Amino acid sequence: MLSGSGASVSFGPRGLHYTIGPHGTRTTVGLPGSGVSWTSYQPYASVGASPPALPEAPNSQSREPIGSDEGTVIDSAFDR
């Protein structure tokens, strides 16, 4: 593909596309026919840019116990 920002190439099977463009890469995963998809964009590192900072180690006292009854509830729009 050719656009005002430059050329790109995309490849992959139905439901999975990997695009290499002038500014970075994009990965798209979707469920064909459903309209549901997830996209991740990874820009190229700039010349002379410093690497990203490493995350701090978590405080062991603030962790949830492994046997905790609390969890995340995900409500789907398809169940309604």
Side-chain angles (χ1 to χ4, degrees):
M1 174 177 257
L2 185 61
S3 71
S5 62
S8 66
V9 62
S10 181
F11 55 92
R14 181 176 172 170
L16 174 66
H17 292 275
Y18 186 72
T19 304
I20 302 170
H23 303 290
T25 60
R26 183 178 312 273
T27 304
T28 303
V29 178
L31 296 172
S34 70
V36 176
S37 66
W38 171 82
T39 300
S40 173
Y41 177 71
Q42 186 66 40
Y44 297 130
S46 299
V47 176
S50 60
L54 296 174
E56 293 184 22
N59 184 347
S60 62
Q61 295 175 348
S62 66
R63 292 184 182 173
E64 291 284 325
I66 292 175
S68 173
D69 290 335
E70 295 183 29
T72 302
V73 176
I74 300 174
D75 188 20
S76 172
F78 294 109
D79 293 336
R80 295 182 182 174

